Amino acid sequence: MAHTYPQTAGKQSASLGPRRNRRWVGAAPYLFIFPWIFGFLVFTLGPLLFSLIISLFDWPIVGKVHFIGLGNYVEMFTDDPLFWKSFGVTLKFAALFVPLNIAVGLGLAILLNQKTRGNAIFRTAFYLPSVISGVALAMIWSWVYSGDYGILNYFLSIIGVQGPDWLNDKHWSLVAMVVASLWGQGSMMLVFLAGLKGIPKDLYESASIDGAGKIRQFISVTIPMLSPTILFNLITSIIAAFQQLTLALLLTGGGPMKSTYFYAMYMYENAFKFFKMGYSAANAWFMFLIVLTLTFLVFKSSEAWVFYEGEMKRKPEKKSKSVRRGRSA
């Protein structure tokens, strides 16, 4: 006797196939972004939260761990003169480095934006210093700044100027650090160059027809159209200023007389020289809050000076006197 099978089973299996396919299709985007999510949770968010936890402990590398609550933060603000010293040095460095960094990067981008022969060679030459490691860069600048055989003092002696011992003079050491930090301009220069390439040529043609010269075009066309790029580079420069460590650690070690003792070095020494991991984590969280606050203020102020193409800012219309009189009546 032949066996007969209900036709409903075939229909159910056929209907389950598309459902399973839809599930896999819906899960495919999450599978693609899973490596990034895993890396972010394990290598970024996880250490961030762990540093916040250990900032509440007396956490030596070797020894017992004790919970002290906000004790690290209280000690940092009330009983550690090196905290205020390093923070003040970092603020001075940022006040010099950030505007100069943006000005030099923008100036190089404008020069490289000109149509000249061998432009590609100049772009490569200006970008190369940014790929040099921090250790190699520190060695180069130690030769440049040397008071005995430095090339900088040699050129100054040609014009009759006696150069100082840059890295051992507390009045010039911070300036020397700023100049050395400006050397790696490649990334910022390329960002500015991309922004300049995106400015429509019609704007310059219209400005020249109206009689605007090169300086007026730069002020009225280039700067407003480049303001979003300036905002980005301003924020990255602020972050880089507060994270400055390698050059100071290798060139001066924080000296002379703590004139280049940056906050990042202060945090580094607390962790790996004095083995106070909890205290160093509290230092890091304070720096995070300072950078976050400065970034928020820059973003807040950007509403007044950043111009986005296609966006028109309207000023509030003033009410006429007749409307005011009518309302008062």
PDB file of all heavy atoms in Angstrom, residues 166-198:
ATOM      1  N   TRP A 166      68.794  76.085  24.550  1.00  0.00           N
ATOM      2  CA  TRP A 166      67.339  76.044  24.452  1.00  0.00           C
ATOM      3  C   TRP A 166      66.694  75.089  25.448  1.00  0.00           C
ATOM      4  O   TRP A 166      65.726  75.449  26.121  1.00  0.00           O
ATOM      5  CB  TRP A 166      66.940  75.653  23.023  1.00  0.00           C
ATOM      6  CG  TRP A 166      67.381  76.635  21.998  1.00  0.00           C
ATOM      7  CD1 TRP A 166      68.543  76.616  21.279  1.00  0.00           C
ATOM      8  CD2 TRP A 166      66.673  77.806  21.585  1.00  0.00           C
ATOM      9  NE1 TRP A 166      68.616  77.698  20.447  1.00  0.00           N
ATOM     10  CE2 TRP A 166      67.472  78.448  20.607  1.00  0.00           C
ATOM     11  CE3 TRP A 166      65.454  78.375  21.931  1.00  0.00           C
ATOM     12  CZ2 TRP A 166      67.084  79.622  19.965  1.00  0.00           C
ATOM     13  CZ3 TRP A 166      65.062  79.533  21.296  1.00  0.00           C
ATOM     14  CH2 TRP A 166      65.860  80.149  20.336  1.00  0.00           C
ATOM     15  N   LEU A 167      67.221  73.891  25.562  1.00  0.00           N
ATOM     16  CA  LEU A 167      66.574  72.875  26.388  1.00  0.00           C
ATOM     17  C   LEU A 167      66.958  72.968  27.862  1.00  0.00           C
ATOM     18  O   LEU A 167      66.336  72.303  28.698  1.00  0.00           O
ATOM     19  CB  LEU A 167      66.925  71.482  25.859  1.00  0.00           C
ATOM     20  CG  LEU A 167      66.467  71.193  24.430  1.00  0.00           C
ATOM     21  CD1 LEU A 167      66.908  69.805  24.002  1.00  0.00           C
ATOM     22  CD2 LEU A 167      64.953  71.343  24.304  1.00  0.00           C
ATOM     23  N   ASN A 168      67.954  73.770  28.189  1.00  0.00           N
ATOM     24  CA  ASN A 168      68.397  73.910  29.576  1.00  0.00           C
ATOM     25  C   ASN A 168      68.153  75.294  30.137  1.00  0.00           C
ATOM     26  O   ASN A 168      68.632  75.615  31.227  1.00  0.00           O
ATOM     27  CB  ASN A 168      69.888  73.571  29.691  1.00  0.00           C
ATOM     28  CG  ASN A 168      70.169  72.116  29.366  1.00  0.00           C
ATOM     29  OD1 ASN A 168      69.462  71.223  29.834  1.00  0.00           O
ATOM     30  ND2 ASN A 168      71.184  71.867  28.550  1.00  0.00           N
ATOM     31  N   ASP A 169      67.428  76.111  29.418  1.00  0.00           N
ATOM     32  CA  ASP A 169      67.073  77.451  29.866  1.00  0.00           C
ATOM     33  C   ASP A 169      65.571  77.475  30.123  1.00  0.00           C
ATOM     34  O   ASP A 169      64.769  77.226  29.222  1.00  0.00           O
ATOM     35  CB  ASP A 169      67.453  78.482  28.805  1.00  0.00           C
ATOM     36  CG  ASP A 169      67.313  79.916  29.310  1.00  0.00           C
ATOM     37  OD1 ASP A 169      66.564  80.133  30.283  1.00  0.00           O
ATOM     38  OD2 ASP A 169      67.927  80.813  28.719  1.00  0.00           O
ATOM     39  N   LYS A 170      65.179  77.762  31.359  1.00  0.00           N
ATOM     40  CA  LYS A 170      63.757  77.698  31.713  1.00  0.00           C
ATOM     41  C   LYS A 170      62.918  78.744  30.979  1.00  0.00           C
ATOM     42  O   LYS A 170      61.702  78.596  30.873  1.00  0.00           O
ATOM     43  CB  LYS A 170      63.580  77.863  33.215  1.00  0.00           C
ATOM     44  CG  LYS A 170      63.953  79.239  33.752  1.00  0.00           C
ATOM     45  CD  LYS A 170      63.660  79.343  35.233  1.00  0.00           C
ATOM     46  CE  LYS A 170      63.964  80.742  35.762  1.00  0.00           C
ATOM     47  NZ  LYS A 170      63.649  80.871  37.204  1.00  0.00           N
ATOM     48  N   HIS A 171      63.540  79.795  30.472  1.00  0.00           N
ATOM     49  CA  HIS A 171      62.808  80.822  29.745  1.00  0.00           C
ATOM     50  C   HIS A 171      62.535  80.427  28.290  1.00  0.00           C
ATOM     51  O   HIS A 171      61.624  80.976  27.667  1.00  0.00           O
ATOM     52  CB  HIS A 171      63.584  82.145  29.777  1.00  0.00           C
ATOM     53  CG  HIS A 171      63.829  82.668  31.158  1.00  0.00           C
ATOM     54  ND1 HIS A 171      62.815  83.121  31.978  1.00  0.00           N
ATOM     55  CD2 HIS A 171      64.980  82.784  31.879  1.00  0.00           C
ATOM     56  CE1 HIS A 171      63.323  83.516  33.137  1.00  0.00           C
ATOM     57  NE2 HIS A 171      64.633  83.328  33.106  1.00  0.00           N
ATOM     58  N   TRP A 172      63.319  79.493  27.741  1.00  0.00           N
ATOM     59  CA  TRP A 172      63.190  79.116  26.341  1.00  0.00           C
ATOM     60  C   TRP A 172      62.767  77.665  26.138  1.00  0.00           C
ATOM     61  O   TRP A 172      62.451  77.273  25.007  1.00  0.00           O
ATOM     62  CB  TRP A 172      64.507  79.355  25.608  1.00  0.00           C
ATOM     63  CG  TRP A 172      64.840  80.801  25.440  1.00  0.00           C
ATOM     64  CD1 TRP A 172      65.730  81.519  26.185  1.00  0.00           C
ATOM     65  CD2 TRP A 172      64.281  81.702  24.487  1.00  0.00           C
ATOM     66  NE1 TRP A 172      65.776  82.825  25.757  1.00  0.00           N
ATOM     67  CE2 TRP A 172      64.892  82.966  24.708  1.00  0.00           C
ATOM     68  CE3 TRP A 172      63.347  81.584  23.462  1.00  0.00           C
ATOM     69  CZ2 TRP A 172      64.589  84.084  23.950  1.00  0.00           C
ATOM     70  CZ3 TRP A 172      63.039  82.698  22.708  1.00  0.00           C
ATOM     71  CH2 TRP A 172      63.656  83.926  22.960  1.00  0.00           C
ATOM     72  N   SER A 173      62.797  76.866  27.162  1.00  0.00           N
ATOM     73  CA  SER A 173      62.526  75.434  26.987  1.00  0.00           C
ATOM     74  C   SER A 173      61.103  75.174  26.506  1.00  0.00           C
ATOM     75  O   SER A 173      60.878  74.320  25.640  1.00  0.00           O
ATOM     76  CB  SER A 173      62.783  74.696  28.306  1.00  0.00           C
ATOM     77  OG  SER A 173      61.997  75.246  29.353  1.00  0.00           O
ATOM     78  N   LEU A 174      60.140  75.901  27.052  1.00  0.00           N
ATOM     79  CA  LEU A 174      58.752  75.680  26.632  1.00  0.00           C
ATOM     80  C   LEU A 174      58.542  76.133  25.186  1.00  0.00           C
ATOM     81  O   LEU A 174      57.825  75.479  24.417  1.00  0.00           O
ATOM     82  CB  LEU A 174      57.791  76.425  27.561  1.00  0.00           C
ATOM     83  CG  LEU A 174      56.309  76.096  27.389  1.00  0.00           C
ATOM     84  CD1 LEU A 174      56.049  74.632  27.675  1.00  0.00           C
ATOM     85  CD2 LEU A 174      55.444  76.969  28.288  1.00  0.00           C
ATOM     86  N   VAL A 175      59.180  77.244  24.801  1.00  0.00           N
ATOM     87  CA  VAL A 175      59.099  77.702  23.410  1.00  0.00           C
ATOM     88  C   VAL A 175      59.720  76.664  22.480  1.00  0.00           C
ATOM     89  O   VAL A 175      59.205  76.386  21.386  1.00  0.00           O
ATOM     90  CB  VAL A 175      59.800  79.061  23.254  1.00  0.00           C
ATOM     91  CG1 VAL A 175      59.803  79.509  21.801  1.00  0.00           C
ATOM     92  CG2 VAL A 175      59.127  80.105  24.132  1.00  0.00           C
ATOM     93  N   ALA A 176      60.839  76.076  22.910  1.00  0.00           N
ATOM     94  CA  ALA A 176      61.479  75.041  22.105  1.00  0.00           C
ATOM     95  C   ALA A 176      60.566  73.833  21.940  1.00  0.00           C
ATOM     96  O   ALA A 176      60.511  73.228  20.862  1.00  0.00           O
ATOM     97  CB  ALA A 176      62.802  74.621  22.760  1.00  0.00           C
ATOM     98  N   MET A 177      59.828  73.479  22.976  1.00  0.00           N
ATOM     99  CA  MET A 177      58.888  72.364  22.890  1.00  0.00           C
ATOM    100  C   MET A 177      57.749  72.673  21.926  1.00  0.00           C
ATOM    101  O   MET A 177      57.291  71.797  21.183  1.00  0.00           O
ATOM    102  CB  MET A 177      58.333  72.042  24.272  1.00  0.00           C
ATOM    103  CG  MET A 177      59.352  71.507  25.256  1.00  0.00           C
ATOM    104  SD  MET A 177      60.102  69.979  24.698  1.00  0.00           S
ATOM    105  CE  MET A 177      58.669  68.983  24.459  1.00  0.00           C
ATOM    106  N   VAL A 178      57.287  73.908  21.918  1.00  0.00           N
ATOM    107  CA  VAL A 178      56.206  74.292  21.002  1.00  0.00           C
ATOM    108  C   VAL A 178      56.675  74.180  19.557  1.00  0.00           C
ATOM    109  O   VAL A 178      55.975  73.623  18.697  1.00  0.00           O
ATOM    110  CB  VAL A 178      55.723  75.721  21.314  1.00  0.00           C
ATOM    111  CG1 VAL A 178      54.753  76.198  20.238  1.00  0.00           C
ATOM    112  CG2 VAL A 178      55.047  75.767  22.676  1.00  0.00           C
ATOM    113  N   VAL A 179      57.871  74.703  19.260  1.00  0.00           N
ATOM    114  CA  VAL A 179      58.395  74.652  17.893  1.00  0.00           C
ATOM    115  C   VAL A 179      58.614  73.213  17.451  1.00  0.00           C
ATOM    116  O   VAL A 179      58.281  72.828  16.312  1.00  0.00           O
ATOM    117  CB  VAL A 179      59.694  75.466  17.797  1.00  0.00           C
ATOM    118  CG1 VAL A 179      60.317  75.318  16.406  1.00  0.00           C
ATOM    119  CG2 VAL A 179      59.431  76.929  18.117  1.00  0.00           C
ATOM    120  N   ALA A 180      59.147  72.377  18.333  1.00  0.00           N
ATOM    121  CA  ALA A 180      59.364  70.972  17.977  1.00  0.00           C
ATOM    122  C   ALA A 180      58.039  70.249  17.751  1.00  0.00           C
ATOM    123  O   ALA A 180      57.941  69.377  16.887  1.00  0.00           O
ATOM    124  CB  ALA A 180      60.160  70.279  19.080  1.00  0.00           C
ATOM    125  N   SER A 181      57.019  70.614  18.495  1.00  0.00           N
ATOM    126  CA  SER A 181      55.704  69.975  18.327  1.00  0.00           C
ATOM    127  C   SER A 181      55.032  70.389  17.040  1.00  0.00           C
ATOM    128  O   SER A 181      54.167  69.664  16.527  1.00  0.00           O
ATOM    129  CB  SER A 181      54.802  70.323  19.517  1.00  0.00           C
ATOM    130  OG  SER A 181      55.365  69.893  20.734  1.00  0.00           O
ATOM    131  N   LEU A 182      55.389  71.567  16.504  1.00  0.00           N
ATOM    132  CA  LEU A 182      54.799  72.029  15.250  1.00  0.00           C
ATOM    133  C   LEU A 182      55.382  71.319  14.038  1.00  0.00           C
ATOM    134  O   LEU A 182      54.888  71.515  12.913  1.00  0.00           O
ATOM    135  CB  LEU A 182      55.025  73.539  15.086  1.00  0.00           C
ATOM    136  CG  LEU A 182      54.310  74.462  16.079  1.00  0.00           C
ATOM    137  CD1 LEU A 182      54.765  75.890  15.877  1.00  0.00           C
ATOM    138  CD2 LEU A 182      52.800  74.359  15.906  1.00  0.00           C
ATOM    139  N   TRP A 183      56.394  70.506  14.239  1.00  0.00           N
ATOM    140  CA  TRP A 183      57.102  69.901  13.114  1.00  0.00           C
ATOM    141  C   TRP A 183      56.213  68.903  12.361  1.00  0.00           C
ATOM    142  O   TRP A 183      56.244  68.843  11.136  1.00  0.00           O
ATOM    143  CB  TRP A 183      58.358  69.198  13.634  1.00  0.00           C
ATOM    144  CG  TRP A 183      59.254  68.705  12.558  1.00  0.00           C
ATOM    145  CD1 TRP A 183      59.488  67.407  12.224  1.00  0.00           C
ATOM    146  CD2 TRP A 183      60.067  69.483  11.672  1.00  0.00           C
ATOM    147  NE1 TRP A 183      60.384  67.327  11.202  1.00  0.00           N
ATOM    148  CE2 TRP A 183      60.755  68.598  10.836  1.00  0.00           C
ATOM    149  CE3 TRP A 183      60.276  70.850  11.506  1.00  0.00           C
ATOM    150  CZ2 TRP A 183      61.639  69.022   9.850  1.00  0.00           C
ATOM    151  CZ3 TRP A 183      61.143  71.273  10.527  1.00  0.00           C
ATOM    152  CH2 TRP A 183      61.822  70.371   9.719  1.00  0.00           C
ATOM    153  N   GLY A 184      55.422  68.121  13.055  1.00  0.00           N
ATOM    154  CA  GLY A 184      54.593  67.119  12.396  1.00  0.00           C
ATOM    155  C   GLY A 184      53.262  67.686  11.951  1.00  0.00           C
ATOM    156  O   GLY A 184      52.229  67.438  12.575  1.00  0.00           O
ATOM    157  N   GLN A 185      53.267  68.452  10.874  1.00  0.00           N
ATOM    158  CA  GLN A 185      52.075  69.146  10.403  1.00  0.00           C
ATOM    159  C   GLN A 185      51.358  68.402   9.287  1.00  0.00           C
ATOM    160  O   GLN A 185      50.406  68.928   8.725  1.00  0.00           O
ATOM    161  CB  GLN A 185      52.465  70.536   9.894  1.00  0.00           C
ATOM    162  CG  GLN A 185      52.591  71.578  10.973  1.00  0.00           C
ATOM    163  CD  GLN A 185      51.242  71.985  11.512  1.00  0.00           C
ATOM    164  OE1 GLN A 185      50.230  71.869  10.852  1.00  0.00           O
ATOM    165  NE2 GLN A 185      51.226  72.441  12.751  1.00  0.00           N
ATOM    166  N   GLY A 186      51.794  67.182   8.953  1.00  0.00           N
ATOM    167  CA  GLY A 186      51.282  66.517   7.770  1.00  0.00           C
ATOM    168  C   GLY A 186      49.785  66.283   7.770  1.00  0.00           C
ATOM    169  O   GLY A 186      49.085  66.643   6.810  1.00  0.00           O
ATOM    170  N   SER A 187      49.261  65.716   8.841  1.00  0.00           N
ATOM    171  CA  SER A 187      47.837  65.372   8.871  1.00  0.00           C
ATOM    172  C   SER A 187      46.957  66.614   8.835  1.00  0.00           C
ATOM    173  O   SER A 187      45.994  66.687   8.057  1.00  0.00           O
ATOM    174  CB  SER A 187      47.535  64.540  10.119  1.00  0.00           C
ATOM    175  OG  SER A 187      48.284  63.348  10.126  1.00  0.00           O
ATOM    176  N   MET A 188      47.272  67.602   9.660  1.00  0.00           N
ATOM    177  CA  MET A 188      46.477  68.823   9.682  1.00  0.00           C
ATOM    178  C   MET A 188      46.574  69.563   8.354  1.00  0.00           C
ATOM    179  O   MET A 188      45.583  70.122   7.853  1.00  0.00           O
ATOM    180  CB  MET A 188      46.911  69.728  10.832  1.00  0.00           C
ATOM    181  CG  MET A 188      46.135  71.026  10.924  1.00  0.00           C
ATOM    182  SD  MET A 188      46.494  71.946  12.425  1.00  0.00           S
ATOM    183  CE  MET A 188      45.752  70.884  13.651  1.00  0.00           C
ATOM    184  N   MET A 189      47.749  69.561   7.756  1.00  0.00           N
ATOM    185  CA  MET A 189      47.931  70.215   6.464  1.00  0.00           C
ATOM    186  C   MET A 189      47.055  69.561   5.400  1.00  0.00           C
ATOM    187  O   MET A 189      46.420  70.253   4.593  1.00  0.00           O
ATOM    188  CB  MET A 189      49.394  70.134   6.057  1.00  0.00           C
ATOM    189  CG  MET A 189      49.723  70.718   4.708  1.00  0.00           C
ATOM    190  SD  MET A 189      51.389  70.233   4.186  1.00  0.00           S
ATOM    191  CE  MET A 189      51.162  68.464   3.946  1.00  0.00           C
ATOM    192  N   LEU A 190      46.973  68.240   5.406  1.00  0.00           N
ATOM    193  CA  LEU A 190      46.151  67.543   4.419  1.00  0.00           C
ATOM    194  C   LEU A 190      44.665  67.811   4.630  1.00  0.00           C
ATOM    195  O   LEU A 190      43.906  67.934   3.663  1.00  0.00           O
ATOM    196  CB  LEU A 190      46.426  66.041   4.478  1.00  0.00           C
ATOM    197  CG  LEU A 190      47.766  65.571   3.915  1.00  0.00           C
ATOM    198  CD1 LEU A 190      47.864  64.060   3.991  1.00  0.00           C
ATOM    199  CD2 LEU A 190      47.949  66.029   2.481  1.00  0.00           C
ATOM    200  N   VAL A 191      44.247  67.911   5.881  1.00  0.00           N
ATOM    201  CA  VAL A 191      42.845  68.217   6.159  1.00  0.00           C
ATOM    202  C   VAL A 191      42.495  69.617   5.656  1.00  0.00           C
ATOM    203  O   VAL A 191      41.446  69.831   5.022  1.00  0.00           O
ATOM    204  CB  VAL A 191      42.557  68.082   7.667  1.00  0.00           C
ATOM    205  CG1 VAL A 191      41.148  68.555   7.995  1.00  0.00           C
ATOM    206  CG2 VAL A 191      42.717  66.633   8.109  1.00  0.00           C
ATOM    207  N   PHE A 192      43.370  70.575   5.926  1.00  0.00           N
ATOM    208  CA  PHE A 192      43.139  71.926   5.413  1.00  0.00           C
ATOM    209  C   PHE A 192      43.168  71.954   3.884  1.00  0.00           C
ATOM    210  O   PHE A 192      42.375  72.661   3.250  1.00  0.00           O
ATOM    211  CB  PHE A 192      44.199  72.892   5.954  1.00  0.00           C
ATOM    212  CG  PHE A 192      43.843  73.497   7.277  1.00  0.00           C
ATOM    213  CD1 PHE A 192      44.718  73.432   8.345  1.00  0.00           C
ATOM    214  CD2 PHE A 192      42.634  74.152   7.454  1.00  0.00           C
ATOM    215  CE1 PHE A 192      44.395  74.002   9.569  1.00  0.00           C
ATOM    216  CE2 PHE A 192      42.309  74.725   8.670  1.00  0.00           C
ATOM    217  CZ  PHE A 192      43.185  74.645   9.728  1.00  0.00           C
ATOM    218  N   LEU A 193      44.072  71.193   3.292  1.00  0.00           N
ATOM    219  CA  LEU A 193      44.175  71.161   1.836  1.00  0.00           C
ATOM    220  C   LEU A 193      42.907  70.580   1.217  1.00  0.00           C
ATOM    221  O   LEU A 193      42.421  71.083   0.186  1.00  0.00           O
ATOM    222  CB  LEU A 193      45.399  70.343   1.425  1.00  0.00           C
ATOM    223  CG  LEU A 193      45.749  70.332  -0.064  1.00  0.00           C
ATOM    224  CD1 LEU A 193      46.027  71.746  -0.556  1.00  0.00           C
ATOM    225  CD2 LEU A 193      46.960  69.432  -0.310  1.00  0.00           C
ATOM    226  N   ALA A 194      42.364  69.539   1.835  1.00  0.00           N
ATOM    227  CA  ALA A 194      41.102  68.984   1.343  1.00  0.00           C
ATOM    228  C   ALA A 194      39.969  70.001   1.467  1.00  0.00           C
ATOM    229  O   ALA A 194      39.106  70.091   0.588  1.00  0.00           O
ATOM    230  CB  ALA A 194      40.766  67.707   2.117  1.00  0.00           C
ATOM    231  N   GLY A 195      39.967  70.765   2.567  1.00  0.00           N
ATOM    232  CA  GLY A 195      38.948  71.802   2.724  1.00  0.00           C
ATOM    233  C   GLY A 195      39.077  72.899   1.682  1.00  0.00           C
ATOM    234  O   GLY A 195      38.073  73.395   1.155  1.00  0.00           O
ATOM    235  N   LEU A 196      40.310  73.277   1.355  1.00  0.00           N
ATOM    236  CA  LEU A 196      40.525  74.300   0.324  1.00  0.00           C
ATOM    237  C   LEU A 196      40.083  73.809  -1.051  1.00  0.00           C
ATOM    238  O   LEU A 196      39.552  74.590  -1.860  1.00  0.00           O
ATOM    239  CB  LEU A 196      42.006  74.702   0.289  1.00  0.00           C
ATOM    240  CG  LEU A 196      42.530  75.501   1.481  1.00  0.00           C
ATOM    241  CD1 LEU A 196      44.037  75.651   1.396  1.00  0.00           C
ATOM    242  CD2 LEU A 196      41.871  76.872   1.554  1.00  0.00           C
ATOM    243  N   LYS A 197      40.316  72.532  -1.318  1.00  0.00           N
ATOM    244  CA  LYS A 197      39.895  71.978  -2.608  1.00  0.00           C
ATOM    245  C   LYS A 197      38.377  71.964  -2.744  1.00  0.00           C
ATOM    246  O   LYS A 197      37.848  71.974  -3.860  1.00  0.00           O
ATOM    247  CB  LYS A 197      40.430  70.553  -2.765  1.00  0.00           C
ATOM    248  CG  LYS A 197      41.944  70.449  -2.853  1.00  0.00           C
ATOM    249  CD  LYS A 197      42.476  71.053  -4.125  1.00  0.00           C
ATOM    250  CE  LYS A 197      43.976  70.831  -4.251  1.00  0.00           C
ATOM    251  NZ  LYS A 197      44.534  71.482  -5.469  1.00  0.00           N
ATOM    252  N   GLY A 198      37.669  71.933  -1.620  1.00  0.00           N
ATOM    253  CA  GLY A 198      36.215  71.871  -1.663  1.00  0.00           C
ATOM    254  C   GLY A 198      35.521  73.211  -1.788  1.00  0.00           C
ATOM    255  O   GLY A 198      34.291  73.259  -1.888  1.00  0.00           O
TER     256      GLY A 198
END
